[in-house]
């Protein structure tokens, strides 16, 4: 048997298609072929009368976790980073911008390096490190465009 939605082969006793997630219904084509073949006659020919414009497009399989991330504003293509590592790097090495390089913000990391002699980036890095550690995972991910490990 094949799925009526996407045409993928179905396993015996399947209630849902594992490719498109469509519930499996009793297919009249398969049931109609069985009596004709049992009688020794030719199998009936089923003709698709729909034009290509009327046919339903095939649906791609979407991972539920990925759909949940997209609905929450998190891009699955963002790199995976650790919030704790970013916070510790900001607290201890924030003066030279190591945490900015870690999070992929190279331009800001260079700015921190250029002004490290003023000690301003060290103070800002300390504050940012505390903020990273106190933020919830969702806010950290969206603000820094990373996925939490």
């Amino acid at each position: 048997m094949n799925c009526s939605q996407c045409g993928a082969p179905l396993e015996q006793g399947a209630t849902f298609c594992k490719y498109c997630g469509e519930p499996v219904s009793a297919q009249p084509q398969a049931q109609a072929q069985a009596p004709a073949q049992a009688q020794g006659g030719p199998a009936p020919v089923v003709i698709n009368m729909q034009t290509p414009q009327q046919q339903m497009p095939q649906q791609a399989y979407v991972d539920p976790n990925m759909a949940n991330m997209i609905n929450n504003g998190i891009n699955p293509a963002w790199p995976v980073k650790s919030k704790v590592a970013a916070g510790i790097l900001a607290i201890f090495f924030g003066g030279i911008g190591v945490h900015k390089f870690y999070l992929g913000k190279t331009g800001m990391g260079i700015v921190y390096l250029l002004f490290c002699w003023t000690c301003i980036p060290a103070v800002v890095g300390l504050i940012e490190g505390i903020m990273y550690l106190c933020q919830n995972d969702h806010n950290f991910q969206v603000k820094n465009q990373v996925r939490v490990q």
Side-chain angles (χ1 to χ4, degrees):
M1 286 181 30
N2 291 335
C3 176
S4 61
Q5 180 70 25
C6 67
L10 297 172
E11 296 176 4
Q12 287 287 8
T15 56
F16 288 94
C17 176
K18 67 179 180 180
Y19 297 102
C20 68
E22 191 71 20
V24 175
S25 60
Q27 294 182 349
Q29 298 170 5
Q31 293 173 353
Q33 290 175 359
Q37 289 174 350
Q39 297 170 357
V45 177
V46 178
I47 301 173
N48 186 1
M49 299 301 289
Q50 293 178 333
T51 62
Q53 291 83 11
Q54 294 172 334
Q55 291 178 353
M56 296 293 293
Q58 291 184 1
Q59 295 177 347
Y61 173 75
V62 177
D63 183 17
N65 293 331
M66 192 170 299
N68 190 23
M69 283 194 316
I70 292 170
N71 290 337
N72 289 331
I74 299 168
N75 186 345
W78 288 344
V80 177
K81 301 290 180 178
S82 170
K83 181 175 81 166
V84 175
I88 291 173
L89 288 173
I91 291 171
F92 291 111
F93 301 107
I96 56 174
V98 173
H99 63 293
K100 293 294 185 181
F101 288 110
Y102 175 73
L103 292 174
K105 298 180 179 182
T106 309
M108 285 301 294
I110 292 172
V111 170
Y112 275 59
L113 272 174
L114 291 175
F115 290 98
C116 68
W117 60 274
T118 64
C119 294
I120 293 172
V123 174
V124 174
L126 177 67
I127 294 169
E128 283 181 334
I130 294 170
M131 286 175 48
Y132 290 164
L133 295 173
C134 292
Q135 281 180 337
N136 64 22
D137 288 345
H138 178 74
N139 289 346
F140 178 79
Q141 291 177 100
V142 173
K143 182 179 177 188
N144 296 300
Q145 296 184 350
V146 297
R147 290 184 295 150
V148 173
Q149 199 171 26

